[in-house]
Structure formats: structure tokens, C-alpha cells
Amino acid sequence: MLVLMAQTTTPVPAGFHTLTPHLVVKGAADYIDFLKKAFNAVEIRRSPGPGGKLMHAQLHMGDSMLMLADDFAQEFHMTPYVEGNLPLYLQLYVPDVDALYNQAVAAGCKATMPVSDQFWGDRYGQVQDPWGFHWAIATHIEDPTPEQLTERQAKMFGAH
């Protein structure tokens, strides 16, 4: 008689962190191609759905996962897809912010904040991709003390 033992699983799947963005986009397959070109994303999996849409896709970016799917609001009677200025930024830490920022702009992103050194210790810039998502790209360059942060912030915003 063959006895099968239950495999132990963890509450967070391998390769994931406890918080993982899951985006809904129009044209998910094209967006995957764009993310590969702009941000060096690596496609892990895609699951086709009805009508040529993608039901689910997983991409690896740095040490994190990004999940996405096409808009299925009509098919599954969900909240309608919203386009425009979404109130979120996807933060991406990389070894060379200048290089990836330029790569993202060359791939079609709109430069919205040029890369520069910031008071909190990051070299940091922002872009908006052709799908409307905002990306904050950074390289951490120093660890200021709490006193330095307070002083630098006050100086930046004109406080004495």
C-alpha cells in the first residue's frame, strides 16, 4: 500500500514577498513585452484566458514578483477598468538608477522627474509608462541620520 505524505507549504509562495503588486492592464501581453524592454522584467508564467486575453501573468523584477492580468470587468461583472492618473507609484530599487531610467525613457516612458540625489539617501527619478502607471526608480546611496533627514528636509522646503 502506497502512503502519500502531504507536502509542507509556506503561506508565502517561493519567490514572492508578503506584498506583491497585481496590476490590471489593457493589453497585458504587450505590457509584458514593454516591461521586459523598459525594466528588464523576466516572464515567469502566463495563463491565457477567453478572447485572447491573459487571465494571469507573473514577472520577476529584481528580487520581487509582479502579477498582472487583462481587464475582465465586463466578462466577470467586476468594477470597471479605470484609466488615467492612478494614485500610486511602483517603487523599483536598482543598482544603477541612471541607466535604468534612461532605458525606460528609451522604451517609451515619459520622464516626469529627472534623476537626482534626494535628502533621504536615494538617487531617485520618476517616469510614467505608456499604460499610465507611474514608476519611481532609485538607487540607495547613503543612510542619513534622523537629524540629517530633519535638517535636509527643512532646507529643501525652506524651513529654518
Side-chain angles (χ1 to χ4, degrees):
M1 177 165 137
L2 178 65
V3 177
L4 298 176
M5 301 296 289
Q7 185 178 11
T8 303
T9 60
T10 61
V12 179
F16 283 85
H17 295 288
T18 54
L19 179 63
T20 303
H22 191 158
L23 305 177
V24 174
V25 300
K26 287 188 177 180
D30 290 337
Y31 195 57
I32 290 169
D33 293 339
F34 169 79
L35 291 174
K36 289 176 183 179
K37 184 176 178 183
F39 300 117
N40 304 319
V42 176
E43 184 176 337
I44 303 301
R45 171 180 17 177
R46 69 170 71 190
S47 302
K53 292 183 178 182
L54 287 182
M55 206 59 179
H56 180 75
Q58 286 175 236
L59 302 164
H60 199 241
M61 297 177 75
D63 67 353
S64 299
M65 288 288 190
L66 174 66
M67 299 189 298
L68 60 99
D70 268 303
D71 174 32
F72 283 94
Q74 284 189 320
E75 293 88 344
F76 297 111
H77 310 287
M78 298 165 59
T79 305
Y81 181 86
V82 176
E83 291 186 64
N85 190 21
L86 301 173
L88 71 101
Y89 279 78
L90 296 163
Q91 175 79 31
L92 187 59
Y93 276 103
V94 297
D96 186 344
V97 63
D98 295 278
L100 193 69
Y101 182 93
N102 291 332
Q103 179 179 320
V105 169
C109 285
K110 175 183 172 187
T112 57
M113 180 182 181
V115 174
S116 63
D117 294 348
Q118 300 297 322
F119 71 87
W120 59 84
D122 287 352
R123 186 154 173 75
Y124 176 95
Q126 296 175 357
V127 297
Q128 183 178 21
D129 72 33
W131 279 257
F133 292 102
H134 297 274
W135 293 82
I137 309 168
T139 299
H140 189 66
I141 56 174
E142 66 170 325
D143 293 309
T145 66
E147 295 79 20
Q148 288 172 315
L149 284 171
T150 300
E151 180 182 312
R152 291 174 182 182
Q153 183 176 352
K155 183 177 178 182
M156 180 179 177
F157 293 108
H160 303 307

